[in-house]
Amino acid sequence: MAIIGAKEEHADPRLTRIAQADDVPWYKKPNLRFLYLILVPTGLGVEWTSGFDSSMMNSLQAVKSWTDYFDNPTSSRLGLLNAMYSLGALMAIPFIPTISQYLGRRRTILMASLIMSMGAGLQAGARNSDMFLASRWVLGFGIPFAIVNASSMIGELSYANERAVMTSLFNASWFVGAIIAAGTTYGTFQMESTWAWRLPSLLQLVPSAFQLGFMHWCPESPRWLVSQDRGEEAFAILQKYHSEGKDGDEFVRLEYAQIQSTIAAEKELASRFVWGDVFRDAAMRRRFLLAAVVGFFTQWSGNGLLSFYMKKILALVNITDNRTVQQVILSNTCWGFINAVPIALIAPRFPRRRMFLICTIGTAVVYVVWTIASARATIENSSAAAIPVLVFIFVYSPFYNIGWNALAYTYMVEIFPYQQRAKGIAVEQLTVRFAVFFNTYVNPIALDAIGWKYYIVYCVWILIEIATVYLLFPETHNRTLEELSFMFEGKEMQDKIQKNVDKVLDVELEGVKRRSSKDGIQATDQGV
């Protein structure tokens, strides 16, 4: 429970209890197994693009043909080449909720994938720095549409027992794209032609091609279908993928009733102005504040330096050989993937607040030691100080992944009801892109100007993150999405939703009885 803010009230956990009693593993459920497999290229694959972009831009700084072609960009120019991706994303965010609600999860992801494919083509064919900047803007414009809808779609389609793990694997998938980009760039960086950077740039369209190629077999979000008054289609999807376990039919009926009831209540409360919900009431303001905080913290915990400016970090401890820099980038990216996947499988099993606190305290300790070692390297001109810096660059990854990687989208999906989920994750993306834009533009300037002293800013900032998590973050562990939908609105709203759920269940039960009676009469007539 958060220290600041009203106490959270959770709905009756009937659905959670049914799910917890289901001891049939997902891989023994054919339809659910297929669903999770198809969500790999169509949902998790969206983050491959993000990882590819960050890693590629990090690695290209050690590719001679790229630096020569673009006149050795440094400081502000280098920052702009990186930051343009976030600027494109910032321009897209105001339109995400409207387009997502109009097109649905699947078609919005397809639209975004087409945009990003165009951007990758422009980037590979760039004739000058202006064209390269434009291509990065196009890539950035497409990515938030895909991220918001893919993370929501994964959470809304997954069965309750695996939902938190699936949304945690979404961010862990970042490392798949990052490893491919780092490996590709390591393989091409010695090429003398411009294909040393054009080939990695062109390969950035591959993740989008997976979404375009496999989306046909991925179902739509049942919650979007209910919001569009297509309840029969939603029920059919839930029946197909969520009824294969113990008491599966009962689970689906209750889940469908909860979805219908919560979305109906959300529509009653929703503002006519698409962004009006941000300020609608205290409960909603708290949700959007949490979204903004999570988005900012995921990018302002010191990870931006490692993602974009490893070459400059290593130069501060006298590691300047391009091959060595490429090897460190590739090995650190592989290490990130190696620890991110098991952490994504394990972290959702524990309370969210505890994991976020371990994450922030761990990264604070790492940055303090890293800062001291970098200071020694500069002040004492000690090459030995490079060793602890390298060690703690690798130690940083698992601590960061415990919270900001594994749980960021899991937490966003959990704290927002369906009607505001796209808006909430869009706000999270807004602060992500603001933070990344600032980091990618300011970091190279600050590192050139004050060197290791810039790390002190992050040491202090992460202490603020620890206090914020402790005071502000609510607990959402071990509940279904509908049980969390109105956790800030108080017991009165929870009771109202529960009554509506019971009414829907009663209507369904009457329908079942009428159908059974009709079938009995027909059978009697046939017997006569």
Side-chain angles (χ1 to χ4, degrees):
M1 178 181 141
I3 305 302
I4 296 176
K7 180 182 177 181
E8 303 91 55
E9 295 281 352
H10 299 298
D12 181 6
R14 283 189 290 174
L15 200 61
T16 298
R17 285 196 292 266
I18 297 172
Q20 289 174 343
D22 179 10
D23 54 3
V24 182
W26 65 270
Y27 51 84
K28 291 186 177 179
K29 301 173 180 177
N31 291 330
L32 188 62
R33 185 173 64 235
F34 173 81
L35 175 65
Y36 290 158
L37 288 174
I38 202 65
L39 282 174
V40 173
T42 58
L44 302 180
V46 165
E47 273 294 275
W48 300 347
T49 301
S50 291
F52 195 103
D53 186 83
S54 296
S55 185
M56 184 192 73
M57 291 304 295
N58 200 2
S59 299
L60 286 183
Q61 295 167 52
V63 175
K64 189 175 185 302
S65 70
W66 185 80
T67 56
D68 289 345
Y69 195 86
F70 293 107
D71 300 322
N72 193 30
T74 57
S75 298
S76 60
R77 186 64 177 176
L78 178 61
L80 186 60
L81 286 169
N82 275 317
M84 190 57 68
Y85 185 80
S86 293
L87 184 61
L90 286 170
M91 298 298 102
I93 284 168
F95 309 105
I96 291 174
T98 302
I99 291 176
S100 300
Q101 186 59 23
Y102 180 73
L103 294 179
R105 306 297 189 209
R106 296 169 69 254
R107 287 187 293 172
T108 305
I109 295 171
L110 288 172
M111 179 198 76
S113 298
L114 285 171
I115 293 171
M116 290 187 288
S117 297
M118 287 172 27
L122 282 170
Q123 185 172 254
R127 304 298 299 271
N128 50 53
S129 60
D130 289 341
M131 189 172 174
F132 194 84
L133 284 169
S135 70
R136 296 199 50 70
W137 187 95
V138 174
L139 280 162
F141 188 84
I143 192 64
F145 286 103
I147 287 176
V148 168
N149 285 277
S151 58
S152 298
M153 183 176 74
I154 291 169
E156 291 164 5
L157 281 171
S158 298
Y159 184 58
N161 286 348
E162 294 86 34
R163 192 250 316 148
V165 171
M166 288 297 292
T167 49
S168 294
L169 284 171
F170 179 71
N171 238 4
S173 302
W174 184 95
F175 290 98
V176 175
I179 289 170
I180 295 170
T184 303
T185 312
Y186 181 68
T188 64
F189 86 101
Q190 286 187 309
M191 294 171 63
E192 294 183 2
S193 72
T194 58
W195 281 105
W197 60 267
R198 291 188 192 277
L199 183 58
S201 296
L202 185 62
L203 288 177
Q204 193 163 353
L205 63 78
V206 171
S208 297
F210 274 97
Q211 280 100 65
L212 294 169
F214 287 93
M215 191 62 76
H216 173 75
W217 292 279
C218 182
E220 181 55 86
S221 164
R223 288 161 179 84
W224 182 76
L225 291 171
V226 169
S227 74
Q228 300 295 306
D229 296 323
R230 293 162 63 181
E232 290 184 4
E233 294 174 59
F235 187 84
I237 290 171
L238 294 172
Q239 185 72 34
K240 181 176 181 179
Y241 297 107
H242 291 184
S243 67
E244 296 174 294
K246 182 180 178 182
D247 297 323
D249 289 337
E250 182 185 355
F251 179 91
V252 169
R253 285 196 298 272
L254 181 56
E255 183 181 29
Y256 179 70
Q258 286 189 351
I259 290 171
Q260 275 204 322
S261 300
T262 53
I263 289 180
E266 290 165 27
K267 285 182 175 180
E268 289 178 10
L269 297 172
S271 172
R272 290 185 179 180
F273 172 53
V274 67
W275 287 103
D277 288 332
V278 177
F279 309 104
R280 190 181 74 199
D281 52 39
M284 206 53 70
R285 288 193 295 272
R286 184 177 177 186
R287 287 188 178 91
F288 281 102
L289 173 62
L290 284 166
V293 166
V294 168
F296 198 79
F297 285 5
T298 59
Q299 299 302 322
W300 242 78
S301 298
N303 53 308
L305 289 173
L306 296 173
S307 297
F308 290 98
Y309 299 111
M310 184 73 84
K311 181 177 172 66
K312 289 184 177 291
I313 289 170
L314 297 178
L316 290 175
V317 289
N318 303 313
I319 298 174
T320 56
D321 177 67
N322 280 345
R323 179 180 291 275
T324 304
V325 172
Q326 293 283 2
Q327 289 172 339
V328 172
I329 291 172
L330 178 57
S331 57
N332 186 51
T333 306
C334 291
W335 164 238
F337 178 72
I338 289 168
N339 69 72
V341 172
I343 286 172
L345 296 173
I346 295 167
R349 302 176 187 275
F350 296 93
R352 311 292 183 244
R353 282 168 53 81
R354 186 189 305 170
M355 293 295 100
F356 281 126
L357 285 170
I358 291 172
C359 163
T360 48
I361 293 169
T363 53
V365 172
V366 167
Y367 247 90
V368 168
V369 178
W370 179 1
T371 302
I372 293 170
S374 297
R376 281 192 58 202
T378 303
I379 296 169
E380 301 174 9
N381 197 25
S382 169
S383 59
I387 296 173
V389 168
L390 285 172
V391 168
F392 278 89
I393 283 173
F394 282 78
V395 172
Y396 176 89
S397 178
F399 279 115
Y400 177 86
N401 288 340
I402 284 172
W404 302 131
N405 185 280
L407 296 177
Y409 288 107
T410 300
Y411 204 53
M412 289 298 95
V413 171
E414 288 174 343
I415 65 173
F416 281 96
Y418 168 78
Q419 288 288 127
Q420 287 77 34
R421 190 164 291 136
K423 297 176 194 136
I425 301 177
V427 167
E428 185 261 356
Q429 281 291 296
L430 178 70
T431 54
V432 162
R433 301 306 163 183
F434 267 125
V436 172
F437 184 84
F438 180 86
N439 274 340
T440 51
Y441 191 75
V442 172
N443 280 347
I445 299 171
L447 287 170
D448 288 343
I450 59 176
W452 66 267
K453 297 183 183 70
Y454 185 50
Y455 299 154
I456 297 173
V457 174
Y458 286 103
C459 292
V460 174
W461 176 257
I462 296 172
L463 294 177
I464 296 172
E465 291 185 0
I466 295 170
T468 305
V469 169
Y470 179 73
L471 294 171
L472 191 63
F473 280 36
E475 187 54 70
T476 59
H477 176 56
N478 221 10
R479 296 281 182 162
T480 67
L481 296 184
E482 275 62 50
E483 289 167 2
L484 292 166
S485 289
F486 293 98
M487 64 177 174
F488 297 142
E489 274 76 5
K491 194 170 185 310
E492 184 179 343
M493 176 59 78
Q494 297 287 1
D495 292 341
K496 179 181 176 183
I497 296 297
Q498 192 55 55
K499 288 178 182 176
N500 289 339
V501 170
D502 292 337
K503 285 179 183 178
V504 174
L505 287 172
D506 289 342
V507 170
E508 288 184 7
L509 186 60
E510 286 297 321
V512 170
K513 287 179 178 177
R514 283 196 298 269
R515 286 193 295 270
S516 298
S517 175
K518 185 177 179 181
D519 291 342
I521 291 169
Q522 289 176 346
T524 302
D525 291 342
Q526 290 172 2
V528 173

